[in-house]
Amino acid sequence: MNHVHRSFVAAATAAALVLLGGCGSGGDDATSGGGSASSGTKLAVVATTPEVADFVRTIGGGDVAVTQIIKPNVDPHDYEPTPADIKAIGEAKLVVKNGVGLEEWLDQTIESAGFKGTVVDSSQGVKLREGGHEEEEGHAEEAEAEHAGEEHDPHIWHNPQNAKIMVTNIEKALATADAAHAAAFGKNLTDYAAKLDKLDADNEAAFAKIPADQRKLVTNHDAFGYYVERYKLEFVGSVIPSLDTSAELSAKQLTDLVAKIKATGTKAIFTESSLPPKSAEAIAKQAGVKVVGGEDALYGDSLGAPGTPQGTYLGAEEHNTRVIASGLAG
């Protein structure tokens, strides 16, 4: 995030605080499927992304009131907090984030909200990757790398084994904050971890049916690095040449990507639900390959609409594997 953008966020946050005196609870606006942060005697938790919010709801069950900040199909990389977000954070006991720099806007928002609770970084203990290469485990190295200007891939949830680490971190935080319901949280974690293991095994089985030389992936942006590594796919390239969504292909990069698609025999470009498909469609036309999009668009940064199968982490990941495996099989 550049300095101009940071200044804008700070100014917007300050303005929002002035407005808070005249705001309602903001519960309906800020919540997706979990009640407002201040509802009843339930543990009030704010979760930043759709994936993290789904994890908190799953582990917390009926004992936790979850306010989800980022709605489905909203780009998390460049989010602008609302007055309702700030109010919800100020009233919460826990704020759960994805981490790995995905929520650049969060620290300023927490400070503005006067939040006194615990911030839970669900990525703690995940082995991070940078530029397609695995990085050291843990976050002491991550902090040093961030100071050195390096960037790690924040899309950690696309490996179900990383998701297991994330929900374990979340369960520990919930049990610490609400010891009376720790046993329920622990049981929910055990049940969900088994579902994550099944998802992982099903994904591996789906790609095992596809010859190794056909497992070539081109996506809208570089969101599937952990997935590619886990299931031994070949990442050919992305329409947006970046871990976030702000970059654009130069003319040379576009030409190179088209050439690489042709040279590798890649069969399709997969679009993503939270990004416009036009650039992908133009590149696919030049390369002579199909575009996979519409209802088959991948969930790269987001989940589907609440109440749909893809509105959960498990459903979205099952959808991704079904679409990718089908597209690669041709």
Side-chain angles (χ1 to χ4, degrees), residues 222-268:
D222 190 1
F224 289 89
Y226 295 96
Y227 188 94
V228 164
E229 286 180 355
R230 179 67 183 164
Y231 303 116
K232 299 178 174 62
L233 309 182
E234 179 187 342
F235 182 66
V236 176
S238 55
V239 175
I240 299 170
S242 175
L243 294 173
D244 68 24
T245 53
S246 61
E248 292 183 11
L249 280 177
S250 67
K252 182 181 185 305
Q253 286 173 319
L254 192 154
T255 304
D256 289 349
L257 180 56
V258 169
K260 196 172 181 184
I261 290 170
K262 290 179 176 178
T264 55
T266 301
K267 294 184 176 181

Side-chain angles (χ1 to χ4, degrees), residues 93-173:
K93 300 296 184 187
L94 298 177
V95 171
V96 184
K97 66 178 182 177
N98 180 85
V100 204
L102 185 67
E103 305 101 333
E104 290 190 31
W105 46 270
L106 184 60
D107 289 348
Q108 174 71 45
T109 309
I110 283 173
E111 186 179 336
S112 298
F115 176 68
K116 303 300 183 189
T118 302
V119 177
V120 182
D121 182 350
S122 66
S123 71
Q124 286 291 337
V126 171
K127 185 177 285 187
L128 302 177
R129 64 181 289 278
E130 178 210 341
H133 302 290
E134 286 188 347
E135 283 297 306
E136 305 85 4
E137 192 167 8
H139 288 259
E141 294 90 346
E142 180 199 351
E144 292 174 10
E146 284 182 349
H147 287 304
E150 296 173 8
E151 185 179 18
H152 289 104
D153 183 349
H155 306 90
I156 54 176
W157 62 91
H158 285 305
N159 178 341
Q161 295 304 315
N162 290 347
K164 278 179 71 174
I165 295 172
M166 296 172 78
V167 293
T168 300
N169 289 333
I170 289 167
E171 186 272 339
K172 182 179 178 182

